[in-house]
Amino acid sequence: MSRIKTFNLPDLGEGLTEGEILAWLVKVGDTIELNQPIVEVETAKAAVEIPAKWAGQVQAIHHPEGTTVEVGTPIIAIDTDPGAGPLEAPSTTATPSSDLPTPSAASLAAVEVAPAEGMIEPGLIGGAAPGGRTAVLVGYGPRTTAAKRRPRKGGVPAQAAAAPAPAAPAPQPVVAPVAAPARNGQAATATAGLVLAKPPVRKLAKDLGVDLGTVTGSGPLGSITREDVQQAASGAVAEPIATPSVTTSAASFGTDREQRIPVKGVRKLTAENMSRSAFTAPHVTEFLTVDVTRAMKALDRLRGRREWRDVRVSPLLLVAKAVLLAVKRHPMVNSTWAGDEIVVKDYVNLGIAAATERGLIVPNVKDAGRLSLRELADALNGLVQTAKSGRTSPADMSGGTLTITNVGVFGVDTGTPILPPGESAILAFGAVREMPWVHKGKVKARQVTTLGLSFDHRIIDGELGSKFLRDIGDFLTDPEAALLAWT
């Protein structure tokens, strides 16, 4: 077995196809241990440190920092037995054929069946697995074997089609289908006769008068999306009404005064998710302005207690508690649209939208409804600190069921947030401001905030959404009374 092991970029178990190498944590010649972090990679969800699969000495680093590589690409070579002596360096000069020994048939057969250098053993990450798949950190990746297709009726058998063409002149050739580029480097074929598009997309194209055979798909496997059709329609309409050139001179600027930021990683995933959610789930947003003076005083009393003095207590804690209690009263809010059914979940993975240097991420507190107020405070603080440091793992951002976005930290009163895919409600928590408010028949200065609730109208109707938002407002108006009444 070869001493040199080649480590390929693994699939981190979230269906990711590529990652950007942010930083190498080792260099050539370093001695490393098993499971020692060797490289930091930014995926479409987070920055992740990947551990070594073998102990040994780093022999080669195949890609520098800042390079985006696909899953399965070799990124580092490790000598797993550096104490066995120096490796034989391959010759860089041509050797006369007369000086080379003639290999025997037995040796050729041995070379044929021996595992290739750097090959990963079956069952390990990146190695072979049953069904032609590749083992990854979680589960198995995509199939690497060629798909077998059933021959069409009256068509040419697959073996005959794959055979080389005869040397004799062929009749008039049939026009070949046009290959359309697809996302993630995959090739797809889109022709007038065979177009990858869902029925709603086909109907939209028919309504807009767009020929799908002329549209380049940007979806999986080159499929055509609603955005592709809308873009083609807008482009077709824009040509006839193009404005004529004007004679007045306009200021022109060079590219040295422009900044082009590549869309990748977290920002790319966020853009795709928000676009998909905005055009899939029918959004409705309601607003509620509430007096939170009593809630702010309750927080002050909580901070003064001895067991809470080492805990960071913010208004977000009470908002999170209000949401969790309101979900118990209205379980349908914590659900997912699954096409022909609605999945109502008995657990709340509470997402908290966090702005980071790499873009917006939404990690979540798992099963937050079972936590005490102190446990919830610790979980929220840990979640926010991990997000700010850029160390949030993909697992922490998966499985969210309901989200809070705290736009108040930016001095904003409220907003109309877009639902994360798979969720049916998201709450925007605005800034807490001192404002004039009618209290006990008199206008007084009170602490006031505005809540904005966006929800999926396929699941949540106006009555349910209003009651849910009203309960959150009632808790923030008088937390002590709400706790006594609801628990």
Side-chain angles (χ1 to χ4, degrees), residues 445-475:
R446 305 284 288 181
Q447 291 180 295
V448 177
T449 190
T450 301
L451 307 172
L453 178 70
S454 292
F455 51 87
D456 188 340
H457 213 358
R458 297 173 299 181
I459 303 174
I460 304 173
D461 57 23
E463 179 184 10
L464 176 58
S466 300
K467 288 181 176 180
F468 179 72
L469 183 60
R470 180 69 262 176
D471 280 357
I472 296 174
D474 287 345
F475 180 91

Side-chain angles (χ1 to χ4, degrees), residues 215-236:
V215 179
T216 299
S218 63
L221 299 178
S223 61
I224 298 175
T225 65
R226 294 178 61 90
E227 292 75 12
D228 296 333
V229 175
Q230 292 169 348
Q231 183 177 1
S234 62

Side-chain angles (χ1 to χ4, degrees), residues 6-9 61-63 69-70 72-77:
T6 300
F7 181 43
N8 300 336
L9 180 66
I61 292 177
H62 299 308
H63 299 280
V69 297
E70 296 183 355
T73 303
I75 58 176
I76 190 173

Side-chain angles (χ1 to χ4, degrees), residues 331-419:
M332 183 66 76
V333 173
N334 188 50
S335 57
T336 298
W337 180 267
D340 56 351
E341 61 183 1
I342 297 174
V343 181
V344 182
K345 301 172 182 178
D346 192 32
Y347 57 90
V348 181
N349 292 340
L350 184 62
I352 304 296
T356 68
E357 294 181 356
R358 297 188 178 95
L360 176 68
I361 64 174
V362 188
N364 59 79
V365 179
K366 307 297 184 185
D367 208 1
R370 296 182 179 274
L371 302 179
S372 65
L373 189 63
R374 173 59 188 268
E375 292 171 338
L376 182 61
D378 292 337
L380 291 176
N381 291 332
L383 180 147
V384 172
Q385 293 302 320
T386 302
K388 288 182 177 179
S389 64
R391 301 296 179 183
T392 303
S393 67
D396 290 336
M397 291 185 287
S398 301
T401 63
L402 197 148
T403 296
I404 299 174
T405 175
N406 186 8
V407 297
V409 297
F410 306 110
V412 176
D413 290 330
T414 190
T416 55
I418 297 177
L419 293 168

Side-chain angles (χ1 to χ4, degrees), residues 22-211:
L22 295 180
W24 282 104
L25 308 180
V26 296
K27 60 182 182 297
V28 175
D30 284 357
T31 300
I32 60 176
E33 300 177 355
L34 179 66
N35 292 327
Q36 174 183 335
I38 57 175
V39 63
E40 183 180 15
V41 176
E42 183 185 41
T43 68
K45 293 193 173 184
V48 182
E49 290 184 352
I50 298 179
K53 295 192 296 182
W54 309 284
Q57 187 179 61
V58 179
Q59 290 297 310
I61 292 177
H62 299 308
H63 299 280
E65 296 176 357
T67 305
T68 299
V69 297
E70 296 183 355
V71 170
T73 303
I75 58 176
I76 190 173
I78 301 173
D79 182 359
T80 57
D81 191 10
L87 295 168
E88 294 182 2
S91 175
T92 58
T93 60
T95 303
S97 58
S98 59
D99 297 337
L100 295 176
T102 302
S104 64
S107 63
L108 288 176
V111 172
E112 181 70 20
V113 300
E117 186 169 330
M119 180 178 291
I120 302 172
E121 291 85 348
L124 294 181
I125 297 175
R133 297 181 181 269
T134 300
V136 296
L137 289 180
V138 179
Y140 294 99
R143 291 184 180 270
T144 58
T145 56
K148 296 182 180 179
R149 296 188 176 181
R150 184 177 302 171
R152 297 181 179 178
K153 294 183 179 179
V156 182
Q159 294 180 353
Q172 185 68 24
V174 181
V175 178
V178 181
R183 194 168 47 192
N184 299 331
Q186 296 176 339
T189 300
T191 64
L194 178 61
V195 176
L196 294 178
K198 296 181 179 180
V201 177
R202 293 179 182 271
K203 183 178 184 303
L204 176 63
K206 181 178 179 181
D207 296 340
L208 298 179
V210 175
D211 182 6

Side-chain angles (χ1 to χ4, degrees), residues 253-267:
F253 302 97
T255 57
D256 58 331
R257 298 185 63 182
E258 298 176 348
Q259 181 183 12
R260 295 181 179 270
I261 303 175
V263 180
K264 57 184 180 180
V266 175
R267 190 173 300 277

